[in-house]
Amino acid sequence: QVQLVESGGGLVQAGGSLRLSCAASGRPFRRNAMGWFRQAPGKEREFVASIIWSINIAKYADPVKNRFTISRDNAKTTVFLQMNSLKPEDTAVYYCAAEEESKGVISTRPDDYEYWGQGTQVTVSS
């Protein structure tokens, strides 16, 4: 079984920063990509960022470009999300996800990711 465990969420004022971490454990799996999604109350889960593990290429959703940075530590099988210049609209539960089978592109669809963490709350106050 593959487990993804997020950490680093919390409450921050607008303009502040947070760094999320996601550690993978359990059985070995073919890690094509790892990404972050978020879900605000009453809204659908939406793509935030993803990184192709082997070539370190990343993709970002437009609302977070130039504010968020996804990175990975290959040795520790951990993916990070550095979030700067946070806005109240960034408030959501943030989920880590892992894609095992390549779809040929960096997928933004939740259904393309096979494994999920339990989520970590990020709250940005105005």
Side-chain angles (χ1 to χ4, degrees):
Q1 188 175 359
V2 174
Q3 286 131 5
L4 303 178
V5 179
E6 303 101 333
S7 61
L11 173 64
V12 65
Q13 288 188 332
S17 298
L18 284 173
R19 188 188 194 214
L20 305 183
S21 300
C22 173
S25 64
R27 69 166 179 82
F29 67 102
R30 183 178 178 277
R31 188 176 295 105
N32 180 64
M34 290 189 72
W36 292 92
F37 290 76
R38 66 187 182 186
Q39 189 166 17
K43 295 187 177 181
E44 292 187 354
R45 191 168 297 191
E46 65 175 5
F47 172 77
V48 175
S50 186
I51 188 166
I52 300 294
W53 201 262
S54 61
I55 57 175
N56 203 25
I57 298 293
K59 181 174 183 175
Y60 297 90
D62 286 344
V64 308
K65 279 181 181 176
N66 302 316
R67 297 190 298 124
F68 292 10
T69 302
I70 189 170
S71 61
R72 56 119 167 94
D73 182 328
N74 199 20
K76 296 182 179 180
T77 64
T78 299
V79 65
F80 305 96
L81 186 69
Q82 178 66 43
M83 304 186 295
N84 298 328
S85 302
L86 282 161
K87 305 175 181 180
E89 51 263 45
D90 294 318
T91 295
V93 177
Y94 282 70
Y95 295 91
C96 174
E99 180 194 50
E100 190 163 21
E101 297 296 330
S102 174
K103 311 304 184 297
V105 295
I106 299 180
S107 177
T108 63
R109 298 176 62 244
D111 287 348
D112 285 340
Y113 291 76
E114 290 88 353
Y115 307 109
W116 291 85
Q118 81 287 351
T120 185
Q121 177 71 46
V122 171
T123 303
V124 184
S125 64
S126 57

